Amino acid sequence: MDDLSLPKINSLDLQQADSEAWDAIAAERIRQSRSIELIASENFVSRAVMEAQGSVLTNKYAEGYPGVRYYGGCANADAVENLAIARAKALFGCAHANVQPHSGSQANQGVYLAFLEPGDKIMGLDLRSGGHLTHGSSVSVSGKWFQSISYEVDARSQLIDMDQVRRIALKERPRLIIAGGSAYSRQMDWAEFRRIADRVGAIFMADIAHVAGLVAAGVFPSPVEHAHVTTTTTHKTLRGPRGGMILSADAEIARRIDAAVFPGLQSGPLMHVVAAKAVALGEALKPAFRTYARAVVDNARVLCDRLSQGGLSVVSAGTDCHLGVIDLRPWELTGKAAETALEQIGITVNKNAVPGDGARPLVTSGIRVGSAACTTRGMGADEFREIGDMILATLGGIRSGTMNARTLKSIHEGVSDLTGRFPLPY
């Protein structure tokens, strides 16, 4: 039998073929290696995931689904997609998984296409309260094609008020109710969302793009048994390639979802990415992943506690997951200024809206921090306290106007020490 191992492609192939692309990629590798990555949407995949994504499956067009393709030569594509489906079902305890969406946004769009008509009402968490663009923002298709109704967090507790959700739903009678977000750090009452949806005759969609890895590991409540349909990304806390999935339990829902994704929304799946999803899902099924996920939550709490102790305002006073949102208004700083200052010392965060934010989206009044990527590097509670101290020193210096080159250099040396002690695995 012929050798079926994947061809080994040396990095010199790219370097010699396209030095400009190589230089950008090499520079990004150095940036990732030497930076403390706190963007909650990001993580570091394993070598195995990267090898699968860079495999010969990038050459295969496999329009359709396993066993029902519109192209020949799809036996291996079927095998890898079936593997990803089986692992997703085992990991999340669902009856059906569509692993083809190219992103979390397209997973959400697949649900909309399956169940909604233009002009229908959808109801999701307001962007400033931690929601996502695809949950009804006016700049998104979800807000342009559908009537968008938002619920917000309580002004005092900064938690979702389920009484408010119920009142709005009973008044507006949306066709779809969405729970989940990109900057909400607390657990959600999935069961109550479902009860409200049933009461008004709505579809209940849970978007777990951020917490999917934590859900899979059992350290964050799962919505799968409550939601009609659950969407997610495969990166972030799930630590896989950039992509999406849609999970469901009902056969009729599954049929509609599959038809919406293909042929309704997108054509041929990215089979190399599907293969990488399969590898990542396999990794998440191992006991070590549960240990990792618990550490992610513990580290996020340590970081948020340290920032709070240092005088920063943490939205909802803490976190139940991998992320925290910091309100900078008491310190009279903008998210943009904080993001820029922290990047100068090698700490990467993203500016983020906070509840009641009046600043422009490209400025914002807060930042979002996440623990998943640095936990992958092996950092623990002591290191996250140290990271918190670096953030406090940097933002405190900017706030007081006392920041100088010597202080910046000292903090940056601390970043270099941490990243040197906890290198990337590649």
Side-chain angles (χ1 to χ4, degrees):
M1 182 178 290
D2 292 338
D3 182 7
L4 297 181
S5 62
L6 293 174
K8 302 299 181 184
I9 300 176
N10 193 291
S11 60
L12 287 175
D13 293 344
L14 175 58
Q15 188 175 12
Q16 293 171 356
D18 192 332
S19 61
E20 291 177 296
W22 165 260
D23 287 346
I25 294 170
E28 174 59 15
R29 183 185 180 198
I30 292 171
R31 186 198 69 80
Q32 291 183 19
S33 178
R34 297 179 181 176
S35 298
I36 291 175
E37 185 56 74
L38 296 183
I39 292 179
S41 304
E42 297 187 10
N43 211 330
F44 300 114
V45 301
S46 68
R47 283 177 176 268
V49 168
M50 284 205 294
E51 184 172 351
Q53 185 154 357
S55 72
V56 294
L57 281 167
T58 194
N59 302 325
K60 187 70 193 99
Y61 211 96
E63 196 174 75
Y65 290 102
V68 192
R69 304 287 190 184
Y70 289 81
Y71 289 80
C74 288
N76 301 315
D78 284 2
V80 79
E81 185 168 346
N82 280 329
L83 186 61
I85 291 169
R87 289 175 175 177
K89 289 161 63 175
L91 194 59
F92 292 99
C94 59
H96 182 79
N98 188 307
V99 299
Q100 291 194 7
H102 301 335
S103 68
S105 293
Q106 285 194 298
N108 290 348
Q109 290 167 13
V111 175
Y112 303 156
L113 184 59
F115 297 106
L116 303 177
E117 296 292 336
D120 279 351
K121 290 183 179 180
I122 66 172
M123 179 176 162
L125 183 61
D126 181 74
L127 197 61
R128 292 173 300 180
S129 291
H132 190 259
L133 287 170
T134 59
H135 297 176
S137 170
S138 61
V139 299
S140 162
V141 165
S142 61
K144 293 179 181 294
W145 288 6
F146 309 109
Q147 296 184 59
S148 176
I149 304 147
S150 296
Y151 56 92
E152 300 175 342
V153 296
D154 177 75
R156 180 181 292 273
S157 69
Q158 297 180 321
L159 302 174
I160 292 173
D161 180 353
M162 295 307 297
D163 289 334
Q164 181 202 62
V165 174
R166 189 180 304 106
R167 287 194 302 270
I168 294 173
L170 287 170
K171 177 183 177 182
E172 299 290 345
R173 300 278 168 171
R175 174 63 180 145
L176 178 78
I177 295 177
I178 308 162
S182 62
Y184 185 77
S185 64
R186 295 301 192 172
Q187 295 182 11
M188 291 193 171
D189 191 342
W190 308 119
E192 184 59 22
F193 270 106
R194 176 57 184 265
R195 283 191 286 268
I196 293 170
D198 287 346
R199 188 171 176 182
V200 300
I203 297 293
F204 171 37
M205 181 186 101
D207 182 343
I208 59 169
H210 266 272
V211 297
L214 309 181
V215 169
V219 300
F220 195 92
S222 173
V224 172
E225 65 179 292
H226 304 291
H228 291 98
V229 62
T230 301
T231 62
T232 183
T233 56
T234 48
H235 43 293
K236 303 186 178 83
T237 55
L238 197 51
R239 206 162 57 177
R242 301 189 66 84
M245 294 193 302
I246 307 175
L247 314 173
S248 57
D250 181 272
E252 174 58 20
I253 287 177
R255 184 193 66 77
R256 296 176 70 167
I257 290 294
D258 284 353
V261 173
F262 173 82
L265 186 64
Q266 59 190 47
S267 185
L270 309 177
M271 290 312 306
H272 57 304
V273 180
V274 171
K277 290 176 185 179
V279 174
L281 291 165
E283 292 174 348
L285 283 165
K286 297 176 180 178
F289 189 83
R290 290 192 288 274
T291 302
Y292 163 73
R294 285 194 294 268
V296 166
V297 176
D298 291 343
N299 288 337
R301 286 172 172 161
V302 166
L303 179 57
C304 287
D305 287 347
R306 185 68 197 96
L307 296 177
S308 179
Q309 292 162 7
L312 284 172
S313 176
V314 179
V315 172
S316 79
T319 182
D320 295 324
C321 61
H322 66 300
L323 68 84
V325 180
I326 313 302
D327 188 342
L328 297 171
R329 288 175 295 189
W331 280 27
E332 299 183 339
L333 294 174
T334 66
K336 181 179 180 180
E339 177 188 297
T340 301
L342 290 170
E343 188 166 1
Q344 289 179 340
I345 61 159
I347 296 178
T348 312
V349 302
N350 64 276
K351 52 187 166 290
N352 207 93
V354 295
D357 204 336
R360 290 180 288 114
L362 288 177
V363 177
T364 77
S365 299
I367 56 174
R368 185 183 61 169
V369 295
S371 62
C374 284
T375 304
T376 292
R377 294 180 78 148
M379 297 183 195
D382 290 342
E383 289 74 37
F384 275 88
R385 291 188 191 95
E386 190 174 346
I387 292 169
D389 288 337
M390 294 175 187
I391 294 173
L392 290 166
T394 303
L395 299 187
I398 299 296
R399 177 194 187 194
S400 64
T402 59
M403 182 59 71
N404 55 51
R406 179 179 296 178
T407 303
L408 278 174
K409 183 175 183 292
S410 176
I411 299 171
H412 194 271
E413 287 173 350
V415 170
S416 296
D417 175 67
L418 266 183
T419 56
R421 286 191 283 124
F422 297 91
L424 292 176
Y426 35 75

